[in-house]
Amino acid sequence: MYRLLPFVLLPLVLIALAAPASARAPLPVGTDLDYQLGGARSVPANVGIVVRDRKARPVAGRYNVCYVNGFQTQTDERRFWNKRPGLILKRHGHRAIDSAWGEWLLDIRTAHKRHRLAGIMRTWVRGCAAHGYAAVEFDNLDSFTRSHHLLKRRQAVAYARLLVRAAHNAGLSAGQKNFAEFNGRTVGYDFAIAEECGRYRECSSYTSHYGRRVLSIEYRRVDFRWTCDHFGSRLPVVLRDLDLTPHGVREWC
């Protein structure tokens, strides 16, 4: 189990809070991760990195990563996106949806729409910075793979570059979420968040790009054990329940 002592953690966080846009605080290594998108809960002493939704408050004394759904919509924000129907991807006249999560895919097919969407994300990212987050996770980089060929990889990469720029301009490090075969360093990502890299045997793809700055989340115990056995000495690995509930499963290597 990774441990980062409080007297090491606190300076990291203070640096992150006080840093200008040109001085981003890097993701720390050698500490555990807590992935709290489904609701906030207490953070044990072994955890130095906490990921929370952009509407939640960061945790004092930790390195905080702000979750932003950069490529799809949150189900509780449909009123917001209903006012911007032109930014939602359509398929046969209906909104394209990620059926696993009930999220609409954002339409990133044109430069104009990518810049409009990046403007929205820029506002949210600035909010993360204002609340005291040190980094931002942009979810669903791989949404083009669920678009029935309506979206292209090159469009996702072009949009990702805008999101990374928005994060860096706000003084935050930027995290690549999933899409293991893509080297996000090429567009400026600083670290990666790898869901189920053990299950799909993708962890080495992330480490080849980001070294130890990879956050691993597993949802099945068998995959968690495999990831701990093969990468637990190098990476923070956490086992969570799929809904990430505040009282759900949470274990570390």
Side-chain angles (χ1 to χ4, degrees):
M1 183 181 293
Y2 290 104
R3 299 186 184 278
L4 194 61
L5 296 177
F7 68 85
V8 176
L9 280 170
L10 188 56
L12 279 173
V13 176
L14 293 177
I15 290 171
L17 294 178
S22 59
R24 302 184 300 276
L27 187 82
V29 298
T31 183
D32 278 320
L33 156 74
D34 203 353
Y35 206 61
Q36 297 192 358
L37 303 189
R41 69 196 296 182
S42 61
V43 179
N46 61 290
V47 169
I49 302 169
V50 180
V51 183
R52 284 184 172 177
D53 185 79
R54 67 181 180 85
K55 297 177 183 178
R57 292 288 178 177
V59 184
R62 304 296 200 277
Y63 186 97
N64 292 275
V65 181
C66 182
Y67 172 90
V68 172
N69 201 343
F71 291 77
Q72 297 181 184
T73 69
Q74 295 291 88
T75 54
D76 62 351
E77 294 177 344
R78 288 193 170 183
R79 179 177 297 181
F80 175 89
W81 291 108
N82 276 330
K83 296 178 181 178
R84 299 159 178 83
L87 298 179
I88 304 300
L89 185 68
K90 305 295 194 306
R91 180 172 180 258
H92 304 313
H94 301 283
R95 295 175 180 187
I97 191 168
D98 178 346
S99 58
W101 298 102
E103 299 175 356
W104 297 329
L105 275 62
L106 299 179
D107 190 347
I108 57 173
R109 289 177 294 181
T110 68
H112 175 69
K113 289 187 177 183
R114 289 194 292 271
H115 280 276
R116 284 187 62 192
L117 287 165
I120 293 170
M121 303 301 163
R122 186 182 306 116
T123 298
W124 292 352
V125 166
R126 288 173 177 169
C128 294
H131 285 141
Y133 282 92
V136 58
E137 162 195 341
F138 291 112
D139 198 6
N140 291 308
L141 173 61
D142 59 347
S143 65
F144 72 93
T145 65
R146 299 182 289 277
S147 71
H148 302 279
H149 306 290
L150 294 173
L151 302 177
K152 308 299 182 186
R153 170 178 171 146
R154 59 178 173 79
Q155 295 162 349
V157 171
Y159 179 51
R161 184 174 284 108
L162 297 177
L163 297 183
V164 170
R165 184 184 305 164
H168 289 176
N169 286 343
L172 304 182
S173 293
Q176 172 186 343
K177 178 69 169 293
N178 297 332
F179 194 20
E181 56 268 41
F182 175 62
N183 180 3
R185 292 284 194 186
T186 60
V187 298
Y189 281 114
D190 304 290
F191 64 97
I193 302 95
E195 280 185 309
E196 298 189 289
C197 73
R199 177 178 181 178
Y200 298 107
R201 303 301 192 261
E202 297 175 331
C203 302
S204 59
S205 295
Y206 291 107
T207 58
S208 68
H209 301 148
Y210 296 100
R212 296 180 66 189
R213 289 190 166 88
V214 177
L215 308 179
S216 176
I217 305 100
E218 297 291 344
Y219 299 111
R220 305 192 314 179
R221 188 168 298 278
V222 63
D223 305 318
F224 172 67
R225 289 171 178 162
W226 185 92
T227 309
C228 286
D229 288 344
H230 291 82
F231 292 92
S233 64
R234 288 175 282 165
L235 306 179
V237 183
V238 63
L239 175 67
R240 288 300 329 261
D241 56 298
L242 189 58
D243 292 328
L244 301 169
T245 55
H247 302 291
V249 175
R250 182 177 62 170
E251 295 180 23
W252 298 275
C253 298

